[in-house]
Amino acid sequence: PQLGRVFAPDDDRAGAAGVAMISDRLWRERFGGDRGIVGRAVELNGQPVTVVGVLPPDVRYPNARTDLWVPFAMSDS
């Protein structure tokens, strides 16, 4: 990432605190390029998640419209 970090192994376990990485576009358009976004909680579907990283502008996965990534945690049940 250009700011912050990528997901850590513990981010992907059931019950972990919500974290997210955001695109450069979302960082600039929604958060004004504020470098303080890393570590800040934002709301996603009514739930708080902490932004842990901002990805470089050339990241286009799975497509150019994707602006936010969260870990895929499996349920314990």
Side-chain angles (χ1 to χ4, degrees):
Q2 63 182 323
L3 288 176
R5 65 173 177 86
V6 296
F7 297 131
D10 284 346
D11 293 334
D12 198 27
R13 64 176 167 72
V19 296
M21 291 190 302
I22 62 173
S23 70
D24 179 81
R25 178 176 64 180
L26 181 63
W27 175 56
R28 292 180 189 281
E29 291 179 6
R30 174 69 173 85
F31 302 104
D34 180 3
R35 297 178 68 84
I37 189 64
V38 174
R40 187 184 308 166
V42 298
E43 191 171 304
L44 175 63
N45 296 327
Q47 298 295 316
V49 296
T50 299
V51 176
V52 296
V54 177
L55 295 175
D58 60 339
V59 172
R60 305 253 193 280
Y61 180 81
N63 60 52
R65 295 184 320 235
T66 303
D67 286 317
L68 186 133
W69 296 263
V70 296
F72 182 74
M74 299 298 286
S75 170
D76 285 336
S77 56

